[in-house]
Amino acid sequence: MTRSFPGYFKSNLSRGKKRCLTSTKQLVKAGSKTTGLSFYLLSKNTSYTPLTAEELELLQAGMGRQTVSLPEDGDHAEISRLLEETFPKMEYLCGGWLLHKATGGSGRRKLTVIPPETEGYSVKTLKAVSGGGKSTFYIVPLQETLDTSPLPPDSQHFSKMPKKICYQCNEVMPLQMLAVHINTCKGKFSPDETDDEESELCIVKSKCKVICPICTKDFPEDEITVHASLCGDSFLCMVPEENDQTTGTPAQTSVCTTDSVEDVLRCLEQQVDTTTEFKLCVDRRPSRQRHSPVAEKKSASPTSVLRVVFIGEAGVDTGALRKEFLSDMISGIESRFFEGPENKGKNPKYSLTDLDNENFRTVGEIIAVSLAQGGPSPAFFKEWCYNFLCSGEVDFSCLSKEDVADVESSLLISKVEDAADIQSLMLWADEIVTCGYTNQIKMDSKESMIRAIVLHSTTRLIPMLQQLRKGMELYGLVNLMAVNPEACHSLFVPGKILKPDADFIMMSCQPHFSEKGTSRERTERKIINFLQDFLQEIEASEKTSETFSNITDGNTGGAGGENQSLLLSSMCSSG
């Protein structure tokens, strides 16, 4: 056997250390190590993380959060190639992208850009920035907006996603697609059934389905009573879109919840036409601004995305220039078209020239654009003006002299109140009659005269408010205000808190602590306690400085001055 099969019985291990056979010895190339990092692809250039309602939409469109395995020695080109394989829509992204990182906390958070190195991003840098792969990197397109239409269920992007069968149509689809599909699936019948059976089934099915008059959705007949008792609890608003240009029929309305200010702003943001741009070149020099900016007409639609360029300044508008421009516009509108005391609400100025030029309608459009595209809110309206913008009517019973903002009417009210006799009151008879007062002027009728002045000063502003309300129909803002005026109230009426204190800041903070009982959780709580102590010390020091200034502003002469000096020295020594 040895002579017949020498290679099988030949031993190379007769002497020395045990070695592998020559025929089975292989050279194995050691592969490079990989690390898993979490990436989140966004559809457009934004400064905040997506809302919870938007995450499912992005996931269905092939975007959202994905974990990518990257080689630890990978460079920018390798990172780009692997990201394009993970997110197929990045293959056609020609306008560039940057990675962002979300700040701490919960809910919708602000994004901060991660600046690339001279040769772009590297895996080592990203791993260090993410704290060993614990953070999520947000891929933000710079100049383009990706399509958010859902991918087909058989897309390669959903190959690793768990799939389930729809009981109504027997189609297999991923879980995130199934969550939306079951709300619109109407089922289908097998082709083996005859036409008579299909007609009978369709008739039975139509009888079993009942449309809810509130949300216009189909529900089984035995479930509609339960749904009707719960449907009113969820506050829905119908925001009409523009009419269809081809058929002339109104387009399908979109439904969004408006339970808070954030929901209102989100609904307005969804109405912005991201497919087109409204470009605007602005010159900062006052000498070139020969007429009001709001009177300028543009051929593009104001529903498009606003892009601002300041002439003579280098910069690409990714949102900051637009916010700066809208902030200047809202401030200019407040000083140019409104009048009244600061922080107490203002009324529109009585100007028939601006009314004839439809400037108030343009002001309403600018206000809607500012709210929909990240600008400041016009929180300078009187309460009665806001109620008119919501309902289109004036509640005359709620009007008072505090609602008067023009100087002439305010002075006339003061003169009527200060009149001591009938002779001094008759000095202002012509002005009182001009305001619409038709009764006899006497001392006992002061309240009626003041009431006539108040009604005259406020009701003459109704045409301005009507034109302003017509301009605010952009993005469906008027409909949102009419459906839920409580949520929009803080956007238009100034609040009561003018200077936040330490307690207000701490109540507004919502820290997200680590796991309870860990050392990190104890450290984080110490930081929050230190912040609270720091704010309270600042507040106490401001009160102390005000007390010192009040004491030093008094009379410092004689014995009184000596007593004040002793009081100051005792307070300093005790402090």
Side-chain angles (χ1 to χ4, degrees), residues 402-422:
E402 284 77 15
D403 296 324
V404 177
D406 59 296
V407 180
E408 295 81 4
S409 300
S410 300
L411 290 176
L412 184 58
I413 292 175
S414 300
K415 292 174 182 177
V416 172
E417 290 178 341
D418 298 339
D421 49 19
I422 189 64

Side-chain angles (χ1 to χ4, degrees), residues 385-393 469 478 481-485 488:
C385 295
Y386 173 72
N387 294 333
F388 180 87
L389 295 176
C390 293
S391 61
E393 299 178 354
R469 190 171 187 265
V478 173
M481 297 168 59
V483 173
N484 195 355
C488 304

Side-chain angles (χ1 to χ4, degrees), residues 21-39:
L21 296 175
T22 306
S23 58
T24 60
K25 188 175 183 180
Q26 299 179 355
L27 297 176
V28 180
K29 183 180 179 180
S32 59
K33 295 182 179 180
T34 59
T35 181
L37 298 179
S38 181
F39 292 89

